[in-house]
Amino acid sequence: MSDQWDFPSGDLMRGKRGLVMGVANQNSIAWGISRQLAAQGAELAFTYQGETLERRVRPLVTSLGFDFMIPLDVTQDDEMERAFGEIKAKWGGLDFLVHSIAFAGKDELQGSMVANTSRAGFARAMDISVYSFIDAANRASELMPSKEEGGGSIICLTYLGAERTVPSYNVMGVAKAGLEAATRYAARDLGKDGIRVNAISAGAMRTLSLAGIRGGKSLMGTGKDWSFLKENTSMEGVAGCALYLLSPLGRSIAGEIIHVDAGFHAIGVPDMEPES
Ligand code: NAD
């Protein structure tokens, strides 16, 4: 799938170093974003979630000519400390951060939100999908250049399920609402230091995360049938938006949630064939 992507090359990110959190395989949104940023000259470091994923992630990272990889379970404070410590030790600083991480248990991602959300499941979804962004933004900001030196940029990935109900999305929608609020508060706190914080609200895309949602594949179908563009969200579109937000093109944009979903978010009632 990833071989079909077409990312414009150039120098928009030349001289910039960034950390990408959330590549699991070649379909990960974080991977598409990484390829676009690398095509524009960025130097990248990657965190990955433990040994099992390393086997899939390392060949991808190597294929871009990079080798800076750090194992990281974002629920572990000591691992977060070590990861950002390694960035500081090796690079001395950081220009941008891509947070592309979320998790909720399979049992939570189906049926009734009120019936299926346990206290532990809620805490886990919020910890991994929201707190990790707040924590990472804080740690990354400490490594970013001053406002006078150009500041930095931070993005995360969110979904329409934060704003409206989506079947089975449930507690993850609640978490994404938290993530979007966290984006605005982080943008407020870090803006005075020249650090821009924004989120991309991507339409449904065929990744491991989507597979964890009961009926997740049908979300792709509605995207194709109902969106204004009558197509699924493209990796090129999402990665292009990431490039825009992380590069100087995104100057003056902070605290924004940009929908990259072929217009799906703006539908009130979908176009349907009139009943005969
Ligand atoms: P993905 O499964 O490829 O990526 C999710 C990543 O989260 C994986 O790399 C996984 O290792 C990581 N992760 C989960 N728990 C972790 C933990 N405890 N510590 C460290 N890493 C952990 O799926 P994706 O679709 O590329 O998801 C990336 C982001 O995009 C997520 O925030 C997701 O909610 C968001 N998003 C996805 C879609 C979609 O339809 N696929 C749409 C909008 C937004």
Side-chain angles (χ1 to χ4, degrees):
M1 187 193 279
S2 54
D3 289 335
Q4 293 162 16
W5 298 335
D6 186 16
F7 298 113
S9 55
D11 291 316
L12 280 169
M13 299 301 289
R14 187 81 51 205
K16 302 264 185 235
R17 287 170 156 172
L19 175 63
V20 179
M21 304 171 73
V23 177
N25 61 27
Q26 77 280 4
N27 298 322
S28 292
I29 294 174
W31 178 238
I33 291 173
S34 301
R35 287 198 33 199
Q36 174 61 96
L37 296 173
Q40 290 284 340
E43 188 176 352
L44 302 175
F46 298 83
T47 62
Y48 61 97
Q49 192 192 353
E51 242 173 67
T52 331
L53 288 187
E54 183 177 9
R55 272 179 276 128
R56 286 197 224 135
V57 179
R58 189 167 293 281
L60 297 175
V61 169
T62 308
S63 73
L64 284 184
F66 301 122
D67 61 2
F68 193 0
M69 290 177 60
I70 310 166
L72 172 63
D73 177 340
V74 294
T75 63
Q76 304 302 311
D77 287 334
D78 57 333
E79 293 190 23
M80 285 292 280
E81 185 74 30
R82 198 191 57 211
F84 283 88
E86 275 193 45
I87 301 273
K88 188 175 182 184
K90 189 158 175 179
W91 282 351
L94 191 67
D95 298 300
F96 63 89
L97 173 73
V98 177
H99 178 284
S100 188
I101 287 175
F103 182 82
K106 261 197 156 57
D107 292 348
E108 254 100 15
L109 296 172
Q110 59 176 312
S112 159
M113 190 278 286
V114 292
N116 293 341
T117 305
S118 66
R119 190 186 297 274
F122 177 84
R124 193 161 52 150
M126 294 298 275
D127 188 13
I128 297 176
S129 315
V130 189
Y131 182 72
S132 73
F133 171 69
I134 296 171
D135 193 12
N138 183 39
R139 294 174 191 272
S141 69
E142 287 166 4
L143 300 177
M144 288 181 169
S146 67
K147 188 168 188 174
E148 294 67 35
E149 291 165 328
S153 182
I154 297 174
I155 61 167
C156 62
L157 273 297
T158 183
Y159 179 58
L160 186 63
E163 305 165 62
R164 300 172 205 280
T165 62
V166 171
S168 300
Y169 205 64
N170 299 0
V171 72
M172 187 50 71
V174 179
K176 289 302 191 193
L179 181 69
E180 294 184 8
T183 299
R184 288 184 285 272
Y185 280 100
R188 177 199 66 182
D189 294 342
L190 302 177
K192 60 184 176 311
D193 299 323
I195 298 169
R196 297 183 295 100
V197 185
N198 294 287
I200 297 173
S201 183
M205 299 172 76
R206 206 177 291 280
T207 65
L208 270 185
S209 289
L210 190 78
I213 302 166
R214 175 169 285 189
K217 277 188 195 152
S218 63
L219 296 178
M220 307 265 310
T222 52
K224 197 165 164 62
D225 293 344
W226 295 348
S227 72
F228 295 157
L229 300 181
K230 304 289 182 236
E231 61 184 32
N232 280 314
T233 300
S234 65
M235 189 62 90
E236 286 92 335
V238 174
C241 186
L243 171 65
Y244 168 61
L245 290 172
L246 295 172
S247 75
L249 295 178
R251 197 178 162 164
S252 301
I253 301 177
E256 190 60 273
I257 316 286
I258 301 186
H259 295 90
V260 182
D261 64 357
F264 192 87
H265 69 281
I267 299 170
V269 177
D271 291 337
M272 287 175 283
E273 292 298 317
E275 285 177 35
S276 53

